[in-house]
Amino acid sequence: MEKKRILIVDDDPRNIFALQATLKSGGYPCASCNSAAEALLILQSGQPFEVVLLDMMMPEIDGYEAIPLIRNLPGGRDLSIVAVTAQAMKGDRQKCLDAGADEYISKPVDVDRLFHIIENS
């Protein structure tokens, strides 16, 4: 079975590095960018992705603003958007889901949970 293609969107290169290393060790093809604006361009280019790992706290366009923009792209409703955030207080998960994310995972990322989310998205 072919692994899902994943786009990582995070403004911190250390987070991108860690997520890419983790995903590649699990056999997942992935690409990354460091802003929501760049993610929108990549997704508009027609590159095939099934999952977007979206940092919710980024400058300029944050994840809460980016989700509806992604959803409005052609094929955007079919993407699985996973909110990735250091915000792990009560209510933060629901806030991400209310913004349109399909799933939520807090930093530091639990690798087993991340793989479970991706496989079930």
Side-chain angles (χ1 to χ4, degrees):
M1 186 171 90
E2 197 169 312
K3 296 279 190 168
K4 295 177 181 176
R5 286 185 41 88
I6 301 167
L7 178 62
I8 302 165
V9 186
D10 197 309
D11 63 318
D12 186 333
R14 295 167 299 186
N15 291 336
I16 289 175
F17 179 82
L19 282 169
Q20 277 186 324
T22 298
L23 293 168
K24 286 182 178 176
S25 75
Y28 292 97
C30 57
S32 64
C33 60
N34 59 12
S35 72
E38 194 178 345
L40 292 167
L41 291 173
I42 290 169
L43 293 169
Q44 286 173 319
S45 76
Q47 293 182 50
F49 292 99
E50 289 81 35
V51 179
V52 176
L53 299 182
L54 182 63
D55 180 22
M56 297 306 282
M57 306 302 285
M58 292 185 291
E60 295 166 33
I61 303 172
D62 69 18
Y64 299 101
E65 296 170 277
I67 291 171
L69 297 173
I70 293 170
R71 293 286 186 218
N72 286 328
L73 294 174
R77 298 247 173 249
D78 299 327
L79 286 169
S80 177
I81 300 176
V82 179
V84 183
T85 182
Q87 303 286 310
M89 303 297 287
K90 185 176 169 124
D92 286 326
R93 180 179 190 278
Q94 193 58 49
K95 184 178 175 187
C96 292
L97 298 178
D98 290 347
D102 295 295
E103 192 51 84
Y104 161 97
I105 192 163
S106 61
K107 296 176 187 176
V109 171
D110 175 329
V111 174
D112 292 334
R113 178 158 159 63
L114 178 63
F115 286 160
H116 176 79
I117 289 170
I118 291 168
E119 286 305 312
N120 292 293
S121 61

